[in-house]
Each structure stands twice: as structure tokens, then as C-alpha cells.
Coordinates of all heavy atoms in Angstrom, one line a residue:
M23 N -0.1 0.3 26.6 CA -1.1 1.5 26.6 C -2.3 1.0 27.4 O -2.9 0.0 27.1 CB -1.5 1.8 25.2 CG -2.0 3.2 25.1 SD -3.0 3.4 23.6 CE -1.9 2.8 22.3
P24 N -2.7 1.8 28.5 CA -3.9 1.5 29.2 C -5.1 1.5 28.4 O -5.3 2.3 27.5 CB -4.0 2.6 30.3 CG -2.7 3.3 30.3 CD -2.1 3.1 28.9
A25 N -6.0 0.6 28.6 CA -7.2 0.4 27.8 C -8.1 1.7 27.9 O -8.9 1.9 27.0 CB -8.0 -0.8 28.2
T26 N -8.0 2.4 28.9 CA -8.8 3.6 29.1 C -8.4 4.8 28.2 O -9.2 5.6 27.9 CB -8.8 4.1 30.6 OG1 -7.4 4.2 31.0 CG2 -9.5 3.2 31.5
V27 N -7.2 4.8 27.7 CA -6.7 5.9 26.9 C -7.1 5.6 25.5 O -6.7 4.6 24.9 CB -5.2 6.0 27.0 CG1 -4.7 7.1 26.0 CG2 -4.8 6.4 28.4
K28 N -7.9 6.5 24.9 CA -8.3 6.4 23.5 C -7.4 7.2 22.6 O -7.3 8.4 22.9 CB -9.8 6.8 23.4 CG -10.7 5.7 23.5 CD -12.1 6.1 22.9 CE -13.0 4.8 22.8 NZ -14.3 5.2 22.3
R29 N -6.8 6.6 21.7 CA -5.9 7.4 20.8 C -6.4 7.1 19.4 O -6.8 6.0 19.0 CB -4.5 6.9 20.9 CG -3.8 7.6 22.1 CD -2.4 7.3 22.2 NE -1.7 7.7 21.0 CZ -0.4 7.4 20.7 NH1 0.2 6.5 21.5 NH2 0.2 7.8 19.6
A30 N -6.3 8.1 18.6 CA -6.7 8.0 17.2 C -5.6 7.1 16.5 O -4.4 7.3 16.8 CB -6.8 9.3 16.5
P31 N -6.0 6.2 15.7 CA -5.0 5.4 15.0 C -4.1 6.3 14.1 O -4.6 7.2 13.5 CB -5.8 4.4 14.1 CG -7.2 5.0 14.1 CD -7.4 5.9 15.2
Q32 N -2.8 5.9 14.1 CA -1.9 6.7 13.3 C -1.3 5.9 12.2 O -1.1 4.6 12.3 CB -0.8 7.2 14.2 CG -1.3 8.3 15.2 CD -0.2 9.0 15.9 OE1 0.7 8.4 16.4 NE2 -0.3 10.3 16.0
R33 N -0.9 6.5 11.1 CA -0.3 5.9 10.0 C 0.8 6.8 9.5 O 0.8 8.0 9.7 CB -1.3 5.7 8.8 CG -2.4 4.7 9.2 CD -1.9 3.3 9.3 NE -2.9 2.3 9.6 CZ -3.4 2.0 10.8 NH1 -2.9 2.6 11.8 NH2 -4.4 1.1 10.9
T34 N 1.7 6.2 8.7 CA 2.9 6.9 8.2 C 2.6 7.2 6.7 O 2.3 6.3 5.9 CB 4.2 6.1 8.3 OG1 4.3 5.7 9.7 CG2 5.4 6.9 7.9
C35 N 2.9 8.5 6.3 CA 2.8 8.8 4.9 C 4.0 8.1 4.2 O 5.1 8.2 4.6 CB 2.9 10.3 4.7 SG 3.1 10.8 3.0
L36 N 3.7 7.5 3.1 CA 4.7 6.7 2.4 C 5.7 7.6 1.7 O 6.8 7.2 1.4 CB 4.0 5.8 1.3 CG 4.8 4.6 0.8 CD1 5.0 3.6 1.9 CD2 4.1 4.0 -0.4
A37 N 5.3 8.9 1.4 CA 6.2 9.8 0.7 C 7.1 10.5 1.7 O 8.3 10.5 1.5 CB 5.4 10.7 -0.1
C38 N 6.5 11.2 2.7 CA 7.4 12.1 3.5 C 7.7 11.4 4.8 O 8.4 12.0 5.6 CB 6.7 13.4 3.7 SG 5.2 13.4 4.7
R39 N 7.1 10.2 5.1 CA 7.4 9.5 6.3 C 6.9 10.1 7.6 O 7.3 9.7 8.7 CB 8.9 9.1 6.5 CG 9.6 8.6 5.2 CD 8.9 7.4 4.6 NE 9.1 6.2 5.5 CZ 8.6 5.0 5.2 NH1 7.8 4.9 4.1 NH2 8.7 4.0 5.9
K40 N 6.0 11.1 7.5 CA 5.5 11.7 8.7 C 4.4 10.8 9.2 O 3.6 10.3 8.5 CB 4.9 13.1 8.4 CG 6.0 14.1 8.3 CD 5.4 15.5 8.2 CE 6.5 16.6 7.9 NZ 6.1 17.5 6.9
V41 N 4.3 10.7 10.6 CA 3.3 10.0 11.2 C 2.1 10.9 11.5 O 2.3 12.0 12.1 CB 3.8 9.3 12.5 CG1 2.7 8.5 13.2 CG2 4.9 8.4 12.2
K42 N 0.9 10.6 11.0 CA -0.2 11.4 11.3 C -1.4 10.6 11.6 O -1.4 9.4 11.4 CB -0.6 12.2 10.0 CG 0.5 13.1 9.5 CD 0.0 14.1 8.5 CE 1.0 15.1 8.1 NZ 0.5 16.1 7.2
A43 N -2.4 11.3 12.2 CA -3.7 10.6 12.4 C -4.2 10.0 11.1 O -4.1 10.7 10.1 CB -4.7 11.5 13.1
K44 N -4.8 8.8 11.2 CA -5.2 8.1 10.0 C -6.2 9.0 9.2 O -6.2 9.0 8.0 CB -5.9 6.8 10.5 CG -6.0 5.8 9.4 CD -6.6 4.5 10.1 CE -7.3 3.7 9.0 NZ -7.9 2.5 9.6
R45 N -7.1 9.7 9.9 CA -8.1 10.5 9.1 C -7.4 11.7 8.4 O -8.1 12.3 7.6 CB -9.2 11.0 10.1 CG -8.7 11.9 11.2 CD -9.8 12.2 12.2 NE -9.3 12.5 13.5 CZ -8.6 13.7 13.8 NH1 -8.5 14.6 12.8 NH2 -8.1 13.9 14.9
E46 N -6.2 12.1 8.8 CA -5.5 13.1 8.0 C -4.8 12.6 6.8 O -4.3 13.4 6.0 CB -4.5 13.8 8.9 CG -5.1 14.6 10.1 CD -4.0 15.2 11.0 OE1 -3.0 15.7 10.4 OE2 -4.2 15.1 12.2
L47 N -4.8 11.4 6.6 CA -4.2 10.8 5.5 C -5.2 10.2 4.5 O -6.4 10.1 4.8 CB -3.2 9.7 5.9 CG -2.1 10.1 6.9 CD1 -1.5 8.9 7.5 CD2 -1.1 10.9 6.2
L48 N -4.7 10.0 3.3 CA -5.6 9.4 2.3 C -5.0 8.0 1.9 O -3.9 7.9 1.6 CB -5.7 10.3 1.1 CG -6.7 10.1 0.0 CD1 -8.1 10.0 0.6 CD2 -6.7 11.2 -1.0
R49 N -5.9 7.0 1.8 CA -5.4 5.7 1.6 C -5.5 5.3 0.1 O -6.5 5.6 -0.6 CB -6.3 4.7 2.5 CG -5.8 3.3 2.5 CD -6.6 2.5 3.5 NE -6.2 1.1 3.6 CZ -6.9 0.1 3.3 NH1 -8.1 0.2 2.9 NH2 -6.4 -1.1 3.4
L50 N -4.6 4.5 -0.2 CA -4.6 3.8 -1.5 C -4.6 2.4 -1.3 O -4.0 1.9 -0.4 CB -3.3 4.2 -2.3 CG -3.2 3.9 -3.8 CD1 -4.2 4.8 -4.5 CD2 -1.8 4.3 -4.3
V51 N -5.4 1.6 -2.0 CA -5.6 0.2 -1.7 C -5.5 -0.6 -2.9 O -5.9 -0.2 -4.0 CB -7.0 0.0 -1.0 CG1 -8.1 0.3 -1.9 CG2 -7.1 -1.4 -0.4
R52 N -4.8 -1.8 -2.8 CA -4.9 -2.8 -3.8 C -6.0 -3.8 -3.4 O -5.9 -4.5 -2.4 CB -3.5 -3.5 -3.9 CG -3.5 -4.4 -5.2 CD -2.3 -5.3 -5.2 NE -2.5 -6.3 -4.2 CZ -1.6 -7.3 -3.9 NH1 -0.4 -7.3 -4.6 NH2 -1.8 -8.2 -3.0
T53 N -7.0 -3.8 -4.2 CA -8.2 -4.6 -3.9 C -7.8 -6.1 -4.1 O -6.8 -6.4 -4.8 CB -9.4 -4.2 -4.7 OG1 -9.1 -4.6 -6.1 CG2 -9.7 -2.8 -4.6
P54 N -8.6 -7.0 -3.5 CA -8.3 -8.4 -3.7 C -8.3 -8.8 -5.1 O -7.6 -9.8 -5.5 CB -9.4 -9.1 -2.9 CG -9.9 -8.1 -1.9 CD -9.7 -6.8 -2.5
D55 N -9.0 -8.1 -6.0 CA -8.9 -8.5 -7.5 C -7.8 -7.8 -8.2 O -7.7 -7.8 -9.4 CB -10.2 -8.4 -8.2 CG -11.0 -7.2 -7.9 OD1 -10.5 -6.4 -7.0 OD2 -12.0 -6.9 -8.6
G56 N -6.9 -7.1 -7.5 CA -5.7 -6.5 -8.1 C -5.8 -5.1 -8.6 O -4.8 -4.6 -9.1
A57 N -6.9 -4.5 -8.5 CA -7.1 -3.1 -8.9 C -6.5 -2.2 -7.8 O -6.6 -2.5 -6.6 CB -8.5 -2.8 -9.1
I58 N -5.9 -1.1 -8.3 CA -5.4 -0.1 -7.3 C -6.3 1.1 -7.3 O -6.5 1.7 -8.4 CB -3.9 0.2 -7.6 CG1 -3.1 -1.1 -7.4 CG2 -3.4 1.4 -6.8 CD1 -1.7 -1.0 -7.7
E59 N -6.8 1.4 -6.2 CA -7.8 2.5 -6.1 C -7.5 3.4 -4.9 O -7.0 3.0 -3.9 CB -9.2 1.8 -5.8 CG -9.7 1.0 -6.9 CD -11.0 0.2 -6.6 OE1 -11.5 0.4 -5.5 OE2 -11.5 -0.5 -7.4
I60 N -8.1 4.6 -5.0 CA -8.0 5.5 -3.9 C -9.2 5.1 -3.0 O -10.3 4.8 -3.5 CB -8.2 7.0 -4.3 CG1 -7.0 7.3 -5.2 CG2 -8.2 7.9 -3.1 CD1 -7.2 8.4 -6.2
D61 N -9.0 5.1 -1.7 CA -10.0 4.6 -0.7 C -10.3 5.8 0.3 O -9.7 5.8 1.4 CB -9.4 3.4 0.0 CG -10.4 2.9 1.1 OD1 -11.5 3.3 1.0 OD2 -9.9 2.2 1.9
P62 N -11.1 6.7 -0.1 CA -11.4 7.8 0.8 C -12.0 7.4 2.2 O -11.8 8.1 3.1 CB -12.4 8.7 0.0 CG -12.3 8.2 -1.4 CD -11.9 6.8 -1.3
T63 N -12.6 6.3 2.2 CA -13.2 5.9 3.5 C -12.2 5.1 4.4 O -12.4 5.0 5.6 CB -14.4 4.9 3.2 OG1 -13.9 3.7 2.6 CG2 -15.4 5.5 2.3
G64 N -11.1 4.6 3.8 CA -10.1 3.9 4.5 C -10.6 2.5 5.0 O -10.0 1.9 5.8
K65 N -11.7 2.1 4.4 CA -12.3 0.8 4.9 C -12.3 -0.3 3.9 O -12.8 -1.4 4.2 CB -13.7 1.1 5.3 CG -13.8 2.0 6.6 CD -15.2 2.2 7.1 CE -15.1 2.9 8.4 NZ -15.9 4.1 8.5
K66 N -11.8 -0.1 2.7 CA -11.8 -1.2 1.7 C -10.8 -2.3 2.1 O -9.7 -2.0 2.7 CB -11.4 -0.6 0.4 CG -12.5 0.1 -0.3 CD -12.2 0.5 -1.7 CE -13.3 1.4 -2.3 NZ -12.9 2.0 -3.5
A67 N -11.1 -3.5 1.7 CA -10.3 -4.6 2.0 C -9.1 -4.6 1.0 O -9.3 -4.2 -0.1 CB -11.1 -5.9 1.9
G68 N -8.0 -5.0 1.5 CA -6.8 -5.1 0.6 C -5.6 -4.5 1.3 O -5.7 -3.9 2.4
R69 N -4.5 -4.6 0.6 CA -3.2 -4.1 1.1 C -3.2 -2.6 0.8 O -3.5 -2.1 -0.3 CB -2.1 -4.7 0.4 CG -0.7 -4.3 0.8 CD 0.3 -5.1 0.1 NE 0.5 -6.4 0.7 CZ 1.3 -6.6 1.7 NH1 2.0 -5.7 2.3 NH2 1.4 -7.9 2.2
G70 N -3.0 -1.8 1.8 CA -3.1 -0.3 1.6 C -1.8 0.4 1.9 O -0.8 -0.1 2.5
A71 N -1.8 1.7 1.4 CA -0.7 2.6 1.7 C -1.3 3.9 1.9 O -2.4 4.2 1.4 CB 0.3 2.7 0.5
Y72 N -0.6 4.7 2.7 CA -1.2 6.0 3.1 C -0.3 7.2 2.7 O 0.9 7.1 2.7 CB -1.4 6.1 4.6 CG -2.4 5.2 5.2 CD1 -2.1 3.9 5.5 CD2 -3.7 5.6 5.4 CE1 -3.1 3.0 6.0 CE2 -4.7 4.8 5.9 CZ -4.4 3.5 6.2 OH -5.3 2.6 6.6
F73 N -1.0 8.3 2.3 CA -0.3 9.5 1.9 C -1.0 10.7 2.6 O -2.2 10.6 2.8 CB -0.3 9.7 0.4 CG 0.5 8.8 -0.3 CD1 -0.1 7.7 -1.0 CD2 1.9 8.8 -0.4 CE1 0.7 6.8 -1.8 CE2 2.7 7.9 -1.1 CZ 2.0 6.9 -1.8
C74 N -0.2 11.7 2.8 CA -0.8 13.0 3.3 C -1.9 13.4 2.2 O -1.7 13.1 1.1 CB 0.2 14.1 3.4 SG 1.5 13.7 4.6
R75 N -2.8 14.3 2.7 CA -3.7 14.9 1.7 C -3.1 16.1 1.0 O -3.6 17.2 1.0 CB -5.0 15.3 2.4 CG -5.8 14.1 3.0 CD -7.0 14.5 3.8 NE -7.7 13.4 4.3 CZ -8.7 12.8 3.6 NH1 -9.1 13.4 2.5 NH2 -9.3 11.8 4.1
L76 N -1.9 15.8 0.4 CA -1.2 16.9 -0.2 C -0.7 16.3 -1.6 O -0.2 15.2 -1.7 CB 0.1 17.2 0.5 CG -0.1 17.8 2.0 CD1 1.3 17.8 2.7 CD2 -0.6 19.2 1.9
P77 N -1.0 17.1 -2.7 CA -0.6 16.6 -4.0 C 0.9 16.3 -4.1 O 1.3 15.3 -4.7 CB -0.9 17.8 -4.9 CG -1.9 18.7 -4.1 CD -1.7 18.4 -2.7
E78 N 1.7 17.0 -3.4 CA 3.2 16.8 -3.5 C 3.6 15.4 -2.9 O 4.5 14.8 -3.4 CB 4.0 17.9 -2.9 CG 3.6 18.3 -1.5 CD 2.6 19.5 -1.4 OE1 1.7 19.5 -2.3 OE2 2.8 20.4 -0.6
C79 N 2.9 15.0 -1.9 CA 3.2 13.7 -1.3 C 2.7 12.6 -2.3 O 3.4 11.6 -2.5 CB 2.5 13.5 0.0 SG 3.5 14.3 1.4
W80 N 1.6 12.8 -3.0 CA 1.1 11.8 -3.9 C 2.0 11.7 -5.1 O 2.4 10.7 -5.7 CB -0.3 12.1 -4.3 CG -1.3 11.7 -3.3 CD1 -1.6 12.4 -2.2 CD2 -1.9 10.4 -3.2 NE1 -2.5 11.6 -1.4 CE2 -2.7 10.4 -2.0 CE3 -2.0 9.3 -4.0 CZ2 -3.5 9.3 -1.6 CZ3 -2.8 8.2 -3.6 CH2 -3.5 8.2 -2.4
E81 N 2.5 12.9 -5.6 CA 3.4 13.0 -6.7 C 4.7 12.2 -6.4 O 5.1 11.4 -7.2 CB 3.7 14.4 -7.1 CG 2.6 15.0 -8.1 CD 2.7 16.5 -8.2 OE1 3.9 17.0 -8.1 OE2 1.7 17.1 -8.5
A82 N 5.2 12.5 -5.2 CA 6.5 11.9 -4.8 C 6.2 10.4 -4.6 O 7.1 9.6 -5.1 CB 7.0 12.5 -3.5
G83 N 5.1 10.0 -4.0 CA 4.9 8.6 -3.7 C 4.6 7.8 -4.9 O 4.9 6.6 -5.0
L84 N 4.0 8.4 -5.9 CA 3.6 7.7 -7.1 C 4.8 7.5 -8.1 O 4.7 6.7 -9.0 CB 2.4 8.3 -7.8 CG 1.0 8.1 -7.2 CD1 0.0 9.1 -7.8 CD2 0.5 6.7 -7.4
K85 N 5.8 8.3 -7.9 CA 6.9 8.3 -8.8 C 7.8 7.1 -8.7 O 8.0 6.4 -9.6 CB 7.8 9.6 -8.5 CG 7.9 10.4 -9.8 CD 8.8 11.6 -9.4 CE 8.0 12.9 -9.5 NZ 8.7 14.1 -9.0
G86 N 8.3 6.8 -7.5 CA 9.3 5.8 -7.3 C 8.7 4.4 -7.3 O 7.5 4.2 -7.6
N87 N 9.5 3.4 -6.7 CA 8.9 2.1 -6.6 C 8.5 1.8 -5.2 O 8.2 0.6 -4.8 CB 9.9 1.1 -7.2 CG 11.3 1.2 -6.5 OD1 11.4 1.8 -5.5 ND2 12.3 0.5 -7.1
R88 N 8.6 2.8 -4.3 CA 8.2 2.6 -2.9 C 6.8 2.1 -2.8 O 6.4 1.2 -2.0 CB 8.4 3.9 -2.2 CG 8.7 3.7 -0.7 CD 8.7 5.0 0.0 NE 10.1 5.7 -0.1 CZ 10.3 6.9 0.3 NH1 9.3 7.7 0.7 NH2 11.5 7.4 0.2
L89 N 5.9 2.7 -3.6 CA 4.5 2.3 -3.6 C 4.3 0.9 -4.1 O 3.6 0.1 -3.5 CB 3.7 3.3 -4.5 CG 2.2 3.0 -4.5 CD1 1.6 3.2 -3.1 CD2 1.5 4.0 -5.5
E90 N 5.1 0.5 -5.1 CA 5.0 -0.8 -5.7 C 5.4 -1.8 -4.6 O 4.8 -2.9 -4.4 CB 5.9 -1.0 -6.9 CG 5.4 -0.2 -8.1 CD 6.2 -0.5 -9.3 OE1 7.4 -0.8 -9.2 OE2 5.6 -0.4 -10.4
N91 N 6.4 -1.5 -3.8 CA 6.9 -2.3 -2.7 C 5.8 -2.5 -1.7 O 5.6 -3.5 -1.1 CB 8.2 -1.8 -2.1 CG 9.3 -1.9 -3.1 OD1 9.3 -2.7 -4.0 ND2 10.4 -1.1 -2.8
A92 N 5.2 -1.3 -1.3 CA 4.2 -1.3 -0.3 C 3.0 -2.1 -0.7 O 2.4 -2.8 0.2 CB 3.8 0.1 0.1
L93 N 2.6 -2.0 -1.9 CA 1.4 -2.7 -2.4 C 1.6 -4.1 -2.9 O 0.7 -4.8 -3.2 CB 0.6 -1.9 -3.4 CG 0.1 -0.5 -3.0 CD1 -0.5 0.2 -4.1 CD2 -0.9 -0.6 -1.8
K94 N 2.9 -4.4 -3.1 CA 3.3 -5.6 -3.7 C 2.6 -5.8 -5.1 O 2.0 -6.8 -5.4 CB 3.1 -6.8 -2.8 CG 3.7 -6.7 -1.5 CD 4.5 -7.9 -1.1 CE 5.1 -7.8 0.3 NZ 6.1 -6.8 0.4
S95 N 2.7 -4.7 -5.9 CA 2.0 -4.7 -7.1 C 2.7 -3.8 -8.1 O 3.2 -2.8 -7.7 CB 0.5 -4.3 -6.9 OG -0.1 -4.3 -8.1
K96 N 2.7 -4.1 -9.4 CA 3.3 -3.2 -10.4 C 2.3 -2.2 -10.8 O 1.1 -2.4 -10.8 CB 3.7 -4.1 -11.6 CG 4.9 -4.9 -11.3 CD 6.2 -4.0 -11.4 CE 7.4 -4.8 -10.8 NZ 8.5 -3.8 -10.5
L97 N 2.8 -1.0 -11.1 CA 2.0 0.1 -11.5 C 2.5 0.6 -12.8 O 3.7 0.9 -12.9 CB 2.1 1.2 -10.5 CG 1.1 1.2 -9.3 CD1 1.6 2.1 -8.2 CD2 -0.3 1.7 -9.7
S98 N 1.6 0.7 -13.8 CA 2.0 1.3 -15.1 C 2.0 2.8 -15.0 O 1.4 3.4 -14.1 CB 1.1 0.8 -16.2 OG -0.2 1.4 -16.0
N99 N 2.7 3.4 -15.9 CA 2.7 4.9 -15.9 C 1.3 5.5 -16.0 O 1.0 6.5 -15.4 CB 3.6 5.4 -17.0 CG 5.1 5.3 -16.7 OD1 5.5 5.1 -15.5 ND2 6.0 5.3 -17.7
Q100 N 0.6 4.8 -16.8 CA -0.8 5.2 -17.0 C -1.6 5.2 -15.7 O -2.4 6.1 -15.4 CB -1.5 4.3 -18.1 CG -2.7 5.0 -18.7 CD -3.5 4.0 -19.6 OE1 -3.0 2.8 -19.9 NE2 -4.7 4.3 -20.0
E101 N -1.4 4.1 -15.0 CA -2.1 3.9 -13.7 C -1.7 5.0 -12.7 O -2.5 5.6 -12.0 CB -1.8 2.6 -13.1 CG -2.7 1.5 -13.7 CD -2.2 0.1 -13.2 OE1 -1.0 -0.2 -13.2 OE2 -3.1 -0.7 -12.8
R102 N -0.4 5.3 -12.7 CA 0.1 6.4 -11.9 C -0.5 7.7 -12.2 O -0.9 8.5 -11.3 CB 1.6 6.5 -12.0 CG 2.4 5.3 -11.4 CD 3.9 5.4 -11.8 NE 4.5 4.1 -11.8 CZ 5.3 3.8 -10.8 NH1 5.6 4.6 -9.8 NH2 5.9 2.6 -10.8
E103 N -0.6 8.0 -13.5 CA -1.2 9.3 -13.9 C -2.6 9.4 -13.6 O -3.1 10.4 -13.1 CB -1.0 9.5 -15.4 CG 0.4 10.0 -15.7 CD 0.8 9.9 -17.2 OE1 -0.2 10.0 -18.0 OE2 2.0 9.8 -17.5
Q104 N -3.3 8.3 -13.8 CA -4.8 8.2 -13.5 C -5.0 8.5 -12.0 O -5.9 9.3 -11.6 CB -5.4 6.9 -13.9 CG -5.8 6.9 -15.3 CD -6.3 5.5 -15.7 OE1 -6.3 4.5 -14.9 NE2 -6.7 5.3 -17.0
L105 N -4.2 7.8 -11.2 CA -4.4 7.9 -9.7 C -4.1 9.3 -9.3 O -4.8 9.9 -8.5 CB -3.5 6.9 -9.0 CG -3.9 5.5 -9.0 CD1 -2.8 4.6 -8.6 CD2 -5.1 5.2 -8.2
L106 N -3.0 9.9 -9.9 CA -2.7 11.3 -9.5 C -3.7 12.3 -9.9 O -4.1 13.2 -9.1 CB -1.3 11.6 -10.2 CG -0.6 12.8 -9.6 CD1 -0.3 12.7 -8.1 CD2 0.7 13.1 -10.3
S107 N -4.3 12.1 -11.0 CA -5.4 13.1 -11.4 C -6.6 12.9 -10.6 O -7.3 13.8 -10.2 CB -5.7 13.0 -12.9 OG -6.1 11.8 -13.3
Q108 N -6.9 11.6 -10.2 CA -8.0 11.4 -9.3 C -7.8 12.0 -7.9 O -8.7 12.6 -7.4 CB -8.2 9.9 -9.1 CG -9.0 9.2 -10.2 CD -9.0 7.6 -10.0 OE1 -9.0 7.2 -8.9 NE2 -9.0 6.9 -11.1
V109 N -6.6 11.8 -7.4 CA -6.3 12.4 -6.1 C -6.4 13.9 -6.1 O -7.0 14.5 -5.2 CB -4.9 12.0 -5.7 CG1 -4.3 12.9 -4.6 CG2 -4.9 10.6 -5.2
K110 N -5.9 14.5 -7.2 CA -6.0 16.0 -7.3 C -7.4 16.5 -7.3 O -7.7 17.5 -6.7 CB -5.2 16.5 -8.5 CG -3.7 16.4 -8.3 CD -2.9 16.9 -9.4 CE -1.4 17.0 -9.1 NZ -0.6 17.2 -10.3
E111 N -8.3 15.8 -8.0 CA -9.7 16.1 -8.0 C -10.3 16.0 -6.6 O -11.0 16.9 -6.1 CB -10.5 15.2 -8.9 CG -10.4 15.6 -10.4 CD -10.8 17.0 -10.7 OE1 -12.0 17.3 -10.3 OE2 -10.0 17.8 -11.2
L112 N -9.9 14.9 -6.0 CA -10.4 14.6 -4.6 C -10.0 15.7 -3.6 O -10.7 16.1 -2.8 CB -9.9 13.3 -4.2 CG -10.8 12.4 -3.4 CD1 -11.1 11.1 -4.1 CD2 -10.2 12.1 -2.1
L113 N -8.7 16.1 -3.7 CA -8.2 17.0 -2.8 C -8.7 18.4 -3.0 O -8.9 19.2 -2.1 CB -6.6 17.1 -2.9 CG -5.9 15.8 -2.5 CD1 -4.4 15.9 -2.7 CD2 -6.2 15.4 -1.0
K114 N -9.1 18.7 -4.2 CA -9.7 20.0 -4.6 C -11.0 20.1 -3.9 O -11.3 21.2 -3.4 CB -9.9 20.0 -6.1 CG -9.2 21.2 -6.8 CD -9.7 21.4 -8.2 CE -8.8 20.6 -9.1 NZ -9.3 20.5 -10.5
G115 N -11.8 19.0 -3.9 CA -13.1 19.1 -3.2 C -13.1 19.0 -1.7 O -14.1 19.1 -1.1
A116 N -11.9 18.8 -1.2 CA -11.8 18.5 0.3 C -11.8 19.9 1.1 O -11.4 20.9 0.5 CB -10.6 17.7 0.6
Ligands
ZN27 ZN1 3.3 13.1 3.3

């Protein structure tokens, strides 16, 4: 890619596998101390995964073990539920 062409960074939604501009997605991050958090800024350090800003993608993504594989971390049902309710709140305000 020529250096003069500026392109928005793109990421793939872990649930639906669609490639979108990074700013259209919402990031989930495993912080260096092992906590799993939503990262609305996309700037936190740690291993991340991206989902569309759609509750259905988060629901699908939080269900299986794809997310655990992406983050290389185990998620309890309680953590999944907490993250999902946090995301829903966040998407409501968006
Ligand atoms: Zn998606």
C-alpha cells in the first residue's frame, strides 16, 4: 500500500466475522492483570477482541468459546453476563 494512501484501520467482528472500520467496532480487552473489560477508547493495553456495536454480536460472541480463544482467558458465566449488561448500557447511550 502506498504511504500516501490513508486508510482507516479495520478489524473483524469476532461474532459475525464482518470486517469493519475499527471505530465502528467495540473492543473487549484482557488487561495485563487478567481482568476482562470493555474498552470504548480502543486504547487499553492487552489482548483484545472486537465486536460490532450490536447487542446480537455481543450475545453471540460471549456465548461460545471463541472469545476465550481470542483472549486466551477463561470467562465465567457471571463475567459474561456482566459484560453483556455493560455493553447493552453502553450501546444504549451511543
Ligand atoms: Zn458483528
Side-chain angles (χ1 to χ4, degrees):
M23 202 200 308
T26 48
V27 177
K28 265 200 172 175
R29 280 184 61 190
Q32 293 191 315
R33 294 292 181 273
T34 308
C35 170
L36 200 68
C38 67
R39 314 303 292 176
K40 282 190 187 135
V41 180
K42 296 194 176 186
K44 203 174 154 184
R45 61 186 156 74
E46 289 177 44
L47 300 166
L48 191 56
R49 186 174 185 243
L50 194 64
V51 67
R52 192 192 69 180
T53 66
D55 47 351
I58 294 178
E59 297 172 2
I60 297 156
D61 176 18
T63 65
K65 289 185 173 122
K66 282 187 186 167
R69 181 177 282 274
Y72 291 85
F73 293 103
C74 302
R75 292 175 178 269
L76 298 169
E78 49 268 42
C79 279
W80 283 84
E81 273 169 29
L84 284 166
K85 237 181 247 172
N87 55 14
R88 210 184 272 170
L89 181 63
E90 293 186 331
N91 292 339
L93 297 179
K94 306 228 182 295
S95 178
K96 286 282 166 198
L97 272 161
S98 69
N99 285 338
Q100 199 190 350
E101 282 173 312
R102 289 170 204 258
E103 277 167 31
Q104 273 175 2
L105 287 168
L106 195 57
S107 61
Q108 279 175 30
V109 161
K110 284 182 173 168
E111 280 304 305
L112 215 120
L113 294 177
K114 237 190 271 171

